[in-house]
Each structure stands twice: as C-alpha cells, then as structure tokens.
Amino acid sequence: MKFWRWLAWLLPFALTCWGAMAIVYSNLPAGLRYGAACVFVILALLSVTLPRRGVRKAAWFAAVFAPALGWWVTLPPSNDRDWAPDVALLPWAEVAGSSVTLRNIRDCVYRGEYDYDVRHYDRTFELGSLRTLDLFLVDWGAPHIAHTMLSFGFGKGRYVCLSIETRKKKGELYSSVRGFFKQYELTYVVADERDLILLRAAHRKSEDIYLYRLKVPPEQIRRIFLDYLRTVNELRAAPQWYNALTSNCTTDIWKHITPYYPGAEFDWRILASGYADELAYDLGVTDRSLPFPELRRRSRVNGRAVAAGRDPAFSTLIRRGLPGFEQPGIQ
C-alpha cells in the first residue's frame, strides 16, 4: 500500500517538474515563460493538495496538466528559421537505378570552431562500389555520452560521412537539457570527412575521436545507406524535432541499422552512447584481435587528422595502419 501511496505523489511531482521545464525551455518570450511556469506549478500543486479524495486529485491534476501537454505535443518544427550558416542548406539525394547523386555535401574550411567558410559540392556514387562502413565515436567529455557518426566508403579513398545533429539557429549553442524540450530541429549533415573530423580534431581541443571499421556485408551497407538517404530527403520535405533521448545521433543510427539485422536486441549502450564502440566490439562487428581498451587507444585519430589537414587523401591517411583496416584491396 505504501508503494501506491508514494507513486500517487511521485508521479504528479515528476509530471509537474517536466511541465515546468517544458514551459521554461520553450520559444515563448522570456518573461512569459517564467510566469507561465510559476502559474502551472502553483495550479498543479493545488490540484493534488486541496481535494481530499484521490479520484478528485487525479481529475484536477489532469485538468491542469492536459492543456500543457497538448500545447507541447502540437508545437510544430520548422525549416524556416534564421539558421547558422553551416546548417542553413539542407542536403538531399537523387537515386536513379544503381547510382546516387548527393546534393549539398558539406565541406567547410575552418579557421576556428565558429570561424569558417561554408562550401558544398554534389557528387554521384555507384551503389555497387559501396563496400565499407566505419564508425566515428567522438568523446566530448560528458559522462557516458558521446557523438557517433557513420561513414560510407565507396573505394579509392572516397567516403561520405553522415552526422545526425541539432539544426541550430544563428548564435545558438547546444544545451543537453534543452535537447529534451523541442528546442532544436533534427538535421542529417552529409559531409566530407575533412569537414566533420577536422572541426573536432583541430578546433575542439576537448574532444577525442575514435575510428572503427565495422564488419558488415556490402549488401547490408547499401540498405543502411539508402535508409539514411530516405530520412535525409524526408527532413528536407518535412522537418522533425531532435530529442536528446529518443531521436539523437545514436538512437537514430540504431533505427537505421536494426531493420537489416533481424533479431537485434536493444542494449542500454544505445542510450549511453559513450559505450557505443564497446557495444560494437561485444557484438563482434569491430576488430577483435586486441582487447577493447587497447583497440580504443589505438583507434584515436586526432593527431592523424590534424597532420593530414586539407590533404585530398585525408580519409586514407587517417585510416592507414589502424586496427581492422588492413584488408587487401579495400580502403
């Protein structure tokens, strides 16, 4: 009985906290946000303290919470905002038979993290030449959380890297807390590896970048790639919200991969993305000739990336000699 009594208080408390944060971390004017949050909290507390009977408490609390939830659920994402220059132009893909033309592949030239020239190019790839799939894990110092990216290899040193990110507005910075409350649209950055990796290796000194070759059959790689491109095109047509828990860089990778791995089970490390490379190791899809701590140590590519700079052979140079990349005839 004590459990249900505690639950009867804990659930409204948790929902009240969530509702207040949803209002505070919204796009309402600052003064209105805090005022509305205070009013919501007061009404929510009154609804569970004044009525004597539990059924009435629940009914009164629902009457307070439902409008806030309904407002939040119906907040629409948009593709029409004053975007930061690096995410202002959305990529898209044209699939014609066995070839894919990627439009607006990003290749920014960075002088600093926020000082860069935005460049894009288009390129056509043959799906039959798509042979490899690599995982980048970026440890940015947050406990148990990292940024993950997949890079698709078409041979002869040609790679396309896809990074699932927040689409930030001009002057906007990322906040982990705001990421739970519909503050950022979702974007799939389709980019040259020099863009995504050099940015982190050369201009974000607190980030460590690890690179792993994944053991995936080419046919499955092609299916995963096309699944990615479907979402790339969908986001151009209809925006979606980023969510730090349910729709982020790692959970969305999992969504693209699992349809092509029947029986794949969800693992807690999908949410704790700082362990995504350990998960791949335990699943047997990375090199296992070394213990995992040694594999991770040897897979760090920060120094290689900085040394390669803007070299056209950047992707080949950062992979040379890494564990799991010694396959003859495959770059």
Side-chain angles (χ1 to χ4, degrees), residues 265-299:
E265 297 182 357
F266 186 83
D267 189 285
W268 63 271
R269 288 168 289 190
I270 300 300
L271 298 178
S273 52
Y275 303 98
D277 52 352
E278 179 185 320
L279 171 60
Y281 182 88
D282 289 345
L283 292 174
V285 295
T286 62
D287 181 83
R288 291 178 60 91
S289 64
L290 300 166
F292 176 71
E294 179 64 12
L295 172 66
R296 195 176 215 242
R297 186 187 69 80
R298 292 178 56 181
S299 297

Coordinates of all heavy atoms in Angstrom, one line a residue, residues 265-299:
E265 N 18.8 -7.0 -30.6 CA 18.2 -6.6 -29.4 C 18.6 -5.2 -28.9 O 19.8 -4.9 -29.1 CB 18.4 -7.6 -28.3 CG 17.9 -9.0 -28.6 CD 18.1 -10.0 -27.5 OE1 18.8 -9.6 -26.5 OE2 17.7 -11.2 -27.6
F266 N 17.7 -4.5 -28.3 CA 18.1 -3.2 -27.8 C 19.1 -3.4 -26.6 O 19.0 -4.3 -25.8 CB 16.9 -2.4 -27.3 CG 17.2 -1.0 -26.9 CD1 17.3 0.0 -27.8 CD2 17.3 -0.7 -25.6 CE1 17.5 1.3 -27.5 CE2 17.6 0.6 -25.2 CZ 17.7 1.6 -26.1
D267 N 20.0 -2.5 -26.5 CA 21.1 -2.5 -25.5 C 21.1 -1.1 -24.8 O 21.0 -0.1 -25.5 CB 22.4 -2.9 -26.1 CG 23.5 -3.2 -25.1 OD1 24.0 -2.2 -24.5 OD2 23.8 -4.3 -24.9
W268 N 21.4 -1.1 -23.5 CA 21.4 0.1 -22.7 C 22.5 1.1 -23.3 O 22.4 2.3 -23.1 CB 21.6 -0.1 -21.3 CG 23.0 -0.8 -21.0 CD1 23.2 -2.1 -20.9 CD2 24.2 -0.1 -20.7 NE1 24.6 -2.3 -20.6 CE2 25.2 -1.1 -20.4 CE3 24.6 1.2 -20.6 CZ2 26.5 -0.9 -20.1 CZ3 25.9 1.5 -20.3 CH2 26.9 0.5 -20.1
R269 N 23.5 0.5 -24.0 CA 24.5 1.4 -24.5 C 24.1 2.2 -25.7 O 24.8 3.1 -26.2 CB 25.8 0.5 -24.8 CG 26.5 0.1 -23.6 CD 27.5 -1.0 -23.8 NE 26.9 -2.3 -24.2 CZ 27.6 -3.4 -24.3 NH1 28.9 -3.5 -24.0 NH2 27.0 -4.6 -24.6
I270 N 22.9 1.9 -26.3 CA 22.3 2.8 -27.3 C 22.0 4.1 -26.7 O 22.2 5.2 -27.4 CB 21.1 2.1 -27.9 CG1 21.4 0.8 -28.5 CG2 20.4 3.0 -28.9 CD1 22.4 0.8 -29.6
L271 N 21.5 4.1 -25.5 CA 21.2 5.4 -24.8 C 22.5 6.0 -24.2 O 22.7 7.2 -24.2 CB 20.2 5.2 -23.7 CG 18.8 4.7 -24.2 CD1 17.9 4.5 -23.1 CD2 18.2 5.7 -25.2
A272 N 23.3 5.2 -23.6 CA 24.6 5.6 -23.1 C 25.7 5.6 -24.2 O 26.5 4.7 -24.2 CB 25.0 4.8 -21.9
S273 N 25.6 6.5 -25.1 CA 26.3 6.4 -26.4 C 27.8 6.5 -26.2 O 28.6 6.1 -27.2 CB 25.9 7.6 -27.3 OG 26.0 8.8 -26.7
G274 N 28.3 6.8 -25.0 CA 29.8 6.8 -24.8 C 30.3 5.4 -24.9 O 31.6 5.2 -25.0
Y275 N 29.4 4.4 -24.8 CA 29.9 3.0 -24.9 C 29.5 2.3 -26.2 O 29.5 1.1 -26.3 CB 29.2 2.2 -23.7 CG 29.5 2.8 -22.4 CD1 28.6 3.6 -21.7 CD2 30.7 2.5 -21.7 CE1 28.9 4.1 -20.5 CE2 31.0 3.0 -20.4 CZ 30.1 3.8 -19.8 OH 30.3 4.3 -18.6
A276 N 29.1 3.1 -27.2 CA 28.7 2.6 -28.5 C 29.8 1.7 -29.1 O 29.5 0.7 -29.7 CB 28.3 3.7 -29.4
D277 N 31.1 2.2 -29.0 CA 32.1 1.4 -29.6 C 32.4 0.1 -28.9 O 32.7 -1.0 -29.4 CB 33.4 2.2 -29.7 CG 33.8 2.8 -28.4 OD1 33.1 2.8 -27.4 OD2 35.0 3.4 -28.3
E278 N 32.2 0.1 -27.5 CA 32.3 -1.1 -26.8 C 31.1 -2.1 -27.1 O 31.3 -3.3 -27.2 CB 32.2 -0.8 -25.3 CG 32.3 -2.0 -24.4 CD 32.1 -1.6 -22.9 OE1 32.6 -0.6 -22.5 OE2 31.4 -2.4 -22.2
L279 N 29.9 -1.5 -27.4 CA 28.8 -2.4 -27.8 C 29.2 -3.0 -29.2 O 28.9 -4.2 -29.4 CB 27.6 -1.5 -28.0 CG 26.3 -2.2 -28.6 CD1 25.9 -3.4 -27.8 CD2 25.2 -1.2 -28.7
A280 N 29.7 -2.3 -30.1 CA 30.1 -2.8 -31.4 C 31.1 -3.9 -31.3 O 31.1 -5.0 -31.9 CB 30.6 -1.7 -32.3
Y281 N 32.1 -3.7 -30.3 CA 33.1 -4.7 -30.1 C 32.4 -6.0 -29.5 O 32.7 -7.1 -30.0 CB 34.1 -4.1 -29.1 CG 35.2 -5.1 -28.7 CD1 36.4 -5.1 -29.5 CD2 35.2 -5.9 -27.6 CE1 37.5 -5.9 -29.2 CE2 36.2 -6.7 -27.3 CZ 37.4 -6.7 -28.1 OH 38.4 -7.5 -27.8
D282 N 31.5 -5.9 -28.6 CA 30.9 -7.0 -28.0 C 30.0 -7.8 -29.0 O 29.9 -9.0 -28.9 CB 30.1 -6.6 -26.7 CG 30.9 -6.2 -25.6 OD1 32.1 -6.5 -25.6 OD2 30.4 -5.5 -24.6
L283 N 29.5 -7.0 -29.9 CA 28.7 -7.7 -31.0 C 29.5 -8.3 -32.0 O 29.0 -9.0 -32.9 CB 27.7 -6.6 -31.6 CG 26.6 -6.1 -30.7 CD1 25.9 -5.0 -31.4 CD2 25.6 -7.2 -30.3
G284 N 30.8 -8.1 -32.0 CA 31.7 -8.7 -32.9 C 31.8 -8.1 -34.3 O 32.3 -8.7 -35.2
V285 N 31.4 -6.8 -34.4 CA 31.4 -6.1 -35.7 C 32.6 -5.2 -35.8 O 32.7 -4.5 -36.8 CB 30.1 -5.3 -35.9 CG1 28.9 -6.3 -36.0 CG2 29.8 -4.3 -34.8
T286 N 33.5 -5.1 -34.8 CA 34.8 -4.4 -35.0 C 35.9 -5.4 -34.9 O 35.7 -6.6 -34.6 CB 34.9 -3.3 -33.9 OG1 35.0 -4.0 -32.6 CG2 33.8 -2.3 -33.9
D287 N 37.1 -4.9 -35.1 CA 38.3 -5.8 -34.9 C 38.3 -6.3 -33.5 O 38.1 -5.5 -32.5 CB 39.5 -4.9 -35.2 CG 40.8 -5.7 -35.1 OD1 41.1 -6.4 -36.0 OD2 41.4 -5.7 -34.0
R288 N 38.6 -7.6 -33.3 CA 38.7 -8.2 -32.0 C 40.1 -8.9 -31.8 O 40.2 -9.7 -30.9 CB 37.6 -9.2 -31.8 CG 36.2 -8.5 -31.7 CD 35.1 -9.6 -31.5 NE 35.3 -10.4 -30.4 CZ 34.8 -10.1 -29.2 NH1 34.0 -9.0 -29.0 NH2 35.0 -10.9 -28.1
S289 N 41.1 -8.5 -32.6 CA 42.4 -9.0 -32.4 C 43.1 -8.5 -31.1 O 44.1 -9.0 -30.7 CB 43.3 -8.8 -33.6 OG 43.5 -7.4 -33.8
L290 N 42.5 -7.4 -30.6 CA 43.1 -6.7 -29.4 C 42.0 -6.6 -28.3 O 40.8 -6.6 -28.6 CB 43.5 -5.3 -29.7 CG 44.6 -5.1 -30.8 CD1 44.7 -3.7 -31.3 CD2 46.0 -5.6 -30.3
P291 N 42.4 -6.6 -27.0 CA 41.4 -6.3 -26.0 C 40.8 -4.9 -26.3 O 41.5 -4.0 -26.8 CB 42.3 -6.3 -24.7 CG 43.5 -7.0 -25.0 CD 43.8 -6.8 -26.5
F292 N 39.6 -4.7 -25.9 CA 38.9 -3.5 -26.2 C 39.6 -2.2 -25.8 O 39.8 -1.3 -26.6 CB 37.5 -3.5 -25.7 CG 36.8 -2.2 -26.0 CD1 36.4 -1.8 -27.2 CD2 36.6 -1.2 -24.9 CE1 35.8 -0.6 -27.5 CE2 36.0 0.0 -25.2 CZ 35.6 0.3 -26.5
P293 N 40.2 -2.1 -24.5 CA 40.9 -0.9 -24.2 C 42.0 -0.6 -25.1 O 42.3 0.6 -25.4 CB 41.3 -1.2 -22.7 CG 40.4 -2.2 -22.2 CD 40.1 -3.1 -23.4
E294 N 42.8 -1.6 -25.5 CA 43.9 -1.4 -26.4 C 43.4 -1.0 -27.8 O 44.0 -0.1 -28.5 CB 44.8 -2.6 -26.5 CG 45.9 -2.5 -27.5 CD 47.0 -1.5 -27.0 OE1 46.9 -1.0 -25.9 OE2 47.9 -1.2 -27.9
L295 N 42.3 -1.6 -28.3 CA 41.7 -1.2 -29.6 C 41.3 0.2 -29.5 O 41.6 1.0 -30.5 CB 40.5 -2.1 -29.9 CG 39.7 -1.7 -31.1 CD1 40.5 -1.9 -32.4 CD2 38.4 -2.5 -31.2
R296 N 40.7 0.7 -28.5 CA 40.2 2.0 -28.4 C 41.4 3.0 -28.4 O 41.4 4.0 -29.1 CB 39.4 2.3 -27.1 CG 38.6 3.6 -27.2 CD 37.7 3.7 -25.9 NE 36.4 4.4 -26.3 CZ 36.1 5.5 -25.7 NH1 36.8 6.1 -24.9 NH2 34.9 6.0 -26.0
R297 N 42.4 2.6 -27.6 CA 43.6 3.5 -27.6 C 44.2 3.7 -28.9 O 44.6 4.8 -29.3 CB 44.6 2.9 -26.6 CG 45.9 3.8 -26.3 CD 46.9 3.1 -25.5 NE 47.5 2.1 -26.3 CZ 48.5 2.2 -27.2 NH1 48.9 3.5 -27.5 NH2 49.0 1.2 -27.8
R298 N 44.3 2.6 -29.7 CA 45.0 2.7 -31.0 C 44.1 3.2 -32.1 O 44.5 3.5 -33.2 CB 45.5 1.3 -31.4 CG 46.6 0.8 -30.5 CD 47.1 -0.6 -30.9 NE 47.5 -0.7 -32.3 CZ 47.9 -1.9 -32.8 NH1 48.0 -3.0 -32.1 NH2 48.2 -1.9 -34.1
S299 N 42.8 3.4 -31.8 CA 41.8 3.9 -32.8 C 41.6 5.4 -32.7 O 40.8 5.9 -33.5 CB 40.5 3.2 -32.6 OG 40.6 1.8 -32.8

